[in-house]
Amino acid sequence: QTSPAVAAQAQSILFTRLLPTLKASAHPSQKPQGIDVLNLWYGLSMDTITAYQFGLSNSSDFVRDTAYRSHWLELFQSRKPYAYYPQEVPRLTNFLSKVGIRLVPRWVDDANDEIEDWALRMCNAATASSNKCSSYSDNPGEEPVVVRAMLKGIQKESNKEQSILSQRISDSTELMVATEMIDNLAAGHETSGITLTYATWHLSQDLELQKALRAELLTLDPPLKYSPEHIKEGSPLLGLPNLKSLDSLPLLHAVLSETLRLNAAIPGSTPRVTPYPSCNLVGYEVPGGVRVCSSSWTLHRNADVYEQPEVWDHTRWLDGDGRSGEAAKERDKWFWPFSSGGRMCVGNNFATLRRSCSILACPVTNNCRQK
């Protein structure tokens, strides 16, 4: 919330890409066609996460470059049905491949190669920029925050003689960084895109809620308003309120929390393998090597905690709305959209901030209505 890079990147992407796109979609000539919000939110999520990883000039521009966005999403989505084999039965997949039986078609490899090459180019550009620039104080939006952090971490580990990581670095630093970056952007763009699409859908059902949310946004300082003349590329941060102030917006928090509860972007099981020799899970002694799962979908539908759990009701997150303190504690205790513990989502804070900014953008321009 206090990062100058995040503020500058959010300012640029919101005001020079997203808001003009939403405004154009409301033009009389465009209204009959509407707008594909899923692809738009995928594009916005990709732009924000790659800007944070690689800096603005090295990042994607999927909001405006709709042709390549469609091509990339087609590559990414088409290969997903085949992820099961190398992930769940890797030995069988490799063995069959050696005897000429491919469970995964070659075109999936080609799609993966193109995606990896695309990510590697951004990563190399960001690394070169980081090596040349010691400070981004004059242009914070260009800072490749995540790449710089990882390069510093690798350098620190390289100086430790007994570090496991330092033994693996050797000449593979470039691929190590790129591998980490593609994991982040692949997971980050999809989950946020899905969540924002559901949030848009729920807002489209309730114009009164949109009006109330818009009124809440106007309490920000400065109030978040859009004008084509207001913000220009490279201008000071005149149109973006302090990002920490988003925490003080209860209605925005309620809309986002209820969407994450009912429509988790990753609703399925989260598998883990129990450690040897055994472990205790909620009072049950489980042997080592057993695959166990948890599911946010199941937790978020506990009717004892969330009344009418299948109903999207943002008011359940508005404290002081007739709910006791204990009820609110129990509600928050069962809320698990990002997992928890050592394997929880590492981007949960960035994702929440990004989604909050994006939800702000939709009611700022025009009412979104169900089509």
Side-chain angles (χ1 to χ4, degrees):
Q1 290 177 332
T2 60
S3 166
V6 168
Q9 291 159 5
Q11 159 102 357
S12 177
I13 293 171
L14 283 176
F15 285 98
T16 67
R17 303 184 195 181
L18 178 62
L19 289 173
T21 299
L22 292 177
K23 191 72 174 179
S25 73
H27 190 274
S29 64
Q30 180 63 26
K31 278 185 178 180
Q33 286 74 42
I35 187 169
D36 184 340
V37 293
L38 177 61
N39 279 350
L40 177 63
W41 292 138
Y42 277 155
L44 175 72
S45 299
M46 183 66 81
D47 288 356
T48 54
I49 194 169
T50 56
Y52 191 50
Q53 289 177 297
F54 308 121
L56 269 173
S57 62
N58 301 319
S59 65
S60 65
D61 191 356
F62 278 8
V63 171
R64 294 182 293 196
D65 189 356
T66 56
Y68 189 70
R69 178 181 77 199
S70 297
H71 171 71
W72 193 95
L73 290 174
E74 174 63 25
L75 288 178
F76 185 79
Q77 298 292 342
S78 65
R79 39 176 280 292
K80 288 175 65 177
Y82 300 96
Y84 170 86
Y85 301 105
Q87 177 176 309
E88 299 296 335
V89 285
R91 293 178 181 175
L92 175 63
T93 302
N94 289 335
F95 171 76
L96 291 177
S97 178
K98 290 178 180 178
V99 297
I101 302 174
R102 292 184 60 91
L103 296 179
V104 180
R106 290 191 183 278
W107 63 261
V108 174
D109 295 339
D110 295 337
N112 285 330
D113 288 344
E114 182 173 340
I115 291 172
E116 290 169 3
D117 289 344
W118 170 80
L120 184 60
R121 287 195 298 273
M122 290 190 293
C123 195
N124 288 342
T127 301
S129 170
S130 180
N131 290 337
K132 289 190 295 185
C133 188
S134 59
S135 172
Y136 291 87
S137 57
D138 293 336
N139 198 356
E142 293 299 324
E143 181 180 1
V145 176
V146 183
V147 166
R148 281 170 69 86
M150 189 169 182
L151 289 173
K152 289 180 180 178
I154 287 176
Q155 182 60 43
K156 184 177 179 180
E157 288 295 323
S158 298
N159 296 330
K160 297 179 181 179
E161 293 183 3
Q162 302 302 318
S163 169
I164 296 176
L165 181 59
S166 67
Q167 298 171 16
R168 296 175 53 197
I169 293 174
S170 61
D171 298 326
S172 63
T173 299
E174 178 186 271
L175 289 180
M176 287 185 67
V177 175
T179 298
E180 182 73 16
M181 295 305 105
I182 199 171
D183 281 350
N184 292 344
L185 66 87
H189 93 275
E190 190 168 31
T191 52
S192 289
I194 291 169
T195 300
L196 288 168
T197 300
Y198 276 114
T200 305
W201 164 251
H202 292 303
L203 284 171
S204 76
Q205 308 300 297
D206 193 339
L207 294 181
E208 292 304 313
L209 175 57
Q210 289 183 49
K211 292 177 183 177
L213 182 56
R214 187 175 297 106
E216 184 177 78
L217 305 185
L218 293 177
T219 66
L220 294 169
D221 184 24
L224 189 60
K225 294 183 177 181
Y226 172 66
S227 170
E229 294 78 29
H230 189 195
I231 300 296
K232 293 184 173 59
E233 196 88 50
S235 67
L237 300 181
L238 300 175
L240 199 65
N242 187 306
L243 296 180
K244 292 189 71 173
S245 65
L246 299 182
D247 282 341
S248 66
L249 303 179
L251 198 54
L252 175 66
H253 169 76
V255 168
L256 181 56
S257 296
E258 182 65 352
T259 302
L260 287 168
R261 182 197 71 82
L262 185 62
N263 307 116
I266 307 178
S269 61
T270 307
R272 301 286 185 269
V273 177
T274 57
Y276 287 97
S278 67
C279 68
N280 190 286
L281 295 178
V282 202
Y284 294 90
E285 195 70 18
V286 183
V290 174
R291 180 166 168 150
V292 296
C293 300
S294 297
S295 169
S296 60
W297 190 97
T298 304
L299 297 175
H300 291 167
R301 281 161 176 76
N302 183 346
D304 294 333
V305 178
Y306 304 108
E307 186 179 353
Q308 293 184 290
E310 293 291 349
V311 175
W312 189 90
D313 179 10
H314 71 281
T315 64
R316 71 175 86 242
W317 299 95
L318 297 175
D319 293 333
D321 191 28
R323 291 175 174 80
S324 67
E326 287 302 316
K329 286 182 181 178
E330 196 70 1
R331 173 201 68 194
D332 296 342
K333 174 184 175 181
W334 283 78
F335 189 55
W336 205 59
F338 298 106
S339 186
S340 56
R343 294 288 299 279
M344 75 179 295
C345 173
V346 296
N348 62 323
N349 293 316
F350 181 76
T352 300
L353 178 62
R354 175 175 57 191
R355 291 163 184 170
S356 297
C357 289
S358 303
I359 291 174
L360 297 181
C362 190
V364 164
T365 49
N366 289 280
N367 289 347
C368 58
R369 300 176 183 271
Q370 177 185 354
K371 181 180 178 183

